[in-house]
Amino acid sequence: MKQSIVSSFEDAFKQSIEAARAARKEYATRKTIGERFAVPRQQKKGIQTILYRPIGNSVPDKLPVLFNMHGGAWIGGDAVFMESFCQRMANEVPAFVVNVNYTKADEEPIPYAMEEVADTVKYFATHADEYGIDPEKMAVGGHSAGAHLAAGAAMMLKENGIGLACQMLVYPCTDIKEDPDKPEDLLSLIVRFFFPDGGNDHRYVSPLRAKDEELSGLSPALFVLCGPDELKPMGIAYAKRLIDRAVPVKIKEYPKALHGFLEVNRPDYPAGDARRNPEQEAYCKDCEKYLVQELRAFFAAV
């Protein structure tokens, strides 16, 4: 009986992957408020991004940069769902914002998307004058699966000698592991589908399992956590590990906010999500203000 139930969850997961693939074609045709741009790479496909600059504000000669990654369990969602967030960060920090529409895990296995994020950072760092940006003031940030990518990319960049002003980790996943007692759990399904031969314990894939020396010297981290969230314990655990390695850490918790609250309570996010309501929207607006404030502080500290 149990195996039958697990099989039904796996079938449903397969269907969600197919639905996500079909949806991507429509998302790619949507008009955006930012500028679509494919970051070129040698012998690899370009990285799809949307770029934003401050509107209506006096800005410094060289802007700091935020690289933002949306959530969606590594297979769903799209950068177009976070346009209003990115434009607000651009306007109010102010900053140049790169909204990374990373390749999903059903197309290329993790950590491919993290490599895309790291390569995107490297591209803009080497073209800083062209874009009017400050390569010394760059931050990677993401939400849920996107925060997972940001954490892994921050580690990659550190190992390549590239420092960041901060890594912004909004309700992050930091350990992709299978729960033998919950075979229907999303992370368990992710492991079975995308890591059939193992590898989910690699430091990029599961930063929480990195060795102490691999965490030392990482960029400062800014965590946003939700109270009733299954990912909260691993977010706290990762923050503690960074603190133990003398990495500067700031943590903001919203005890009553639901996972995804900063994404779903946006005008560009699809309607119909039960997490979209006045209470959660209030937390979303407060969190936006908090992130603007903290990003300014991190950039100013560089």
Side-chain angles (χ1 to χ4, degrees):
M1 175 67 74
K2 186 175 181 179
Q3 185 59 44
S4 174
I5 295 174
V6 171
S7 295
S8 67
F9 277 106
E10 291 183 346
D11 288 342
F13 189 62
K14 290 178 183 177
Q15 292 173 11
S16 69
I17 292 175
E18 291 304 316
R21 286 175 176 168
R24 286 172 208 157
K25 296 179 181 179
E26 188 271 322
Y27 301 150
T29 65
R30 287 193 185 181
K31 184 178 180 179
T32 61
I33 61 174
E35 174 192 351
R36 288 192 184 271
F37 175 68
V39 175
R41 293 191 293 175
Q42 290 187 346
Q43 299 180 332
K44 289 184 179 180
K45 68 178 182 179
I47 305 158
Q48 299 303 312
T49 68
I50 309 175
L51 312 180
Y52 311 82
R53 288 186 175 277
I55 297 174
N57 291 325
S58 59
V59 298
D61 292 336
K62 290 188 176 182
L63 287 166
V65 188
L66 171 64
F67 298 86
N68 183 76
M69 283 71 71
H70 64 87
W74 300 275
I75 59 170
D78 194 273
V80 296
F81 295 166
M82 297 214 73
E83 285 218 278
S84 60
F85 173 83
C86 291
Q87 189 62 64
R88 180 166 186 179
M89 294 300 110
N91 291 348
E92 298 188 16
V93 172
F96 181 75
V97 179
V98 181
N99 194 7
V100 185
N101 209 14
Y102 54 88
T103 300
K104 306 307 184 280
D106 57 289
E107 297 181 13
E108 295 286 356
I110 303 168
Y112 184 90
M114 293 170 178
E115 294 170 0
E116 289 185 312
V117 176
D119 285 349
T120 299
V121 172
K122 293 174 186 176
Y123 174 84
F124 282 98
T126 57
H127 292 78
D129 290 342
E130 178 183 343
Y131 287 92
I133 57 180
D134 188 343
E136 300 300 319
K137 296 183 177 182
M138 293 186 161
V140 294
H143 314 255
S144 193
H148 170 253
L149 302 183
M155 200 173 296
M156 284 184 185
L157 290 164
K158 184 206 79 166
E159 293 170 4
N160 280 272
I162 300 174
L164 298 166
C166 78
Q167 46 183 317
M168 181 189 79
L169 309 178
V170 181
Y171 32 82
C173 173
T174 60
D175 190 5
I176 294 186
K177 60 183 178 180
E178 184 171 11
D179 187 340
D181 297 324
K182 295 181 179 179
E184 77 286 358
D185 183 76
L186 176 60
L187 287 181
S188 295
L189 289 165
I190 292 290
V191 172
R192 292 203 299 278
F193 272 78
F194 302 132
F195 297 94
D197 301 318
N200 55 302
D201 59 347
H202 190 280
R203 64 188 181 281
Y204 297 157
V205 179
S206 294
L208 184 57
R209 299 193 223 181
K211 298 176 182 178
D212 285 348
E213 59 268 26
E214 293 167 341
L215 297 178
S216 295
L218 274 173
S219 303
L222 172 62
F223 287 81
V224 172
L225 304 175
C226 303
D229 182 6
E230 292 183 1
L231 298 184
K232 178 182 171 183
M234 66 174 69
I236 293 174
Y238 191 52
K240 287 181 177 178
R241 288 212 61 202
L242 294 181
I243 292 169
D244 288 345
R245 303 313 302 167
V247 175
V249 169
K250 287 190 175 183
I251 302 173
K252 174 74 170 179
E253 182 184 353
Y254 289 87
K256 295 183 179 180
L258 302 176
H259 183 89
F261 78 99
L262 190 61
E263 298 163 272
V264 303
N265 288 281
R266 315 206 62 78
D268 28 18
Y269 198 87
D273 194 299
R275 297 168 293 176
R276 190 169 183 168
N277 58 62
E279 180 187 24
Q280 296 297 309
E281 183 180 7
Y283 300 142
C284 173
K285 290 180 178 178
D286 184 82
C287 189
E288 288 175 334
K289 293 178 182 178
Y290 174 75
L291 291 177
V292 167
Q293 167 192 312
E294 293 302 324
L295 286 171
R296 285 177 180 169
F298 277 113
F299 288 138
V302 176

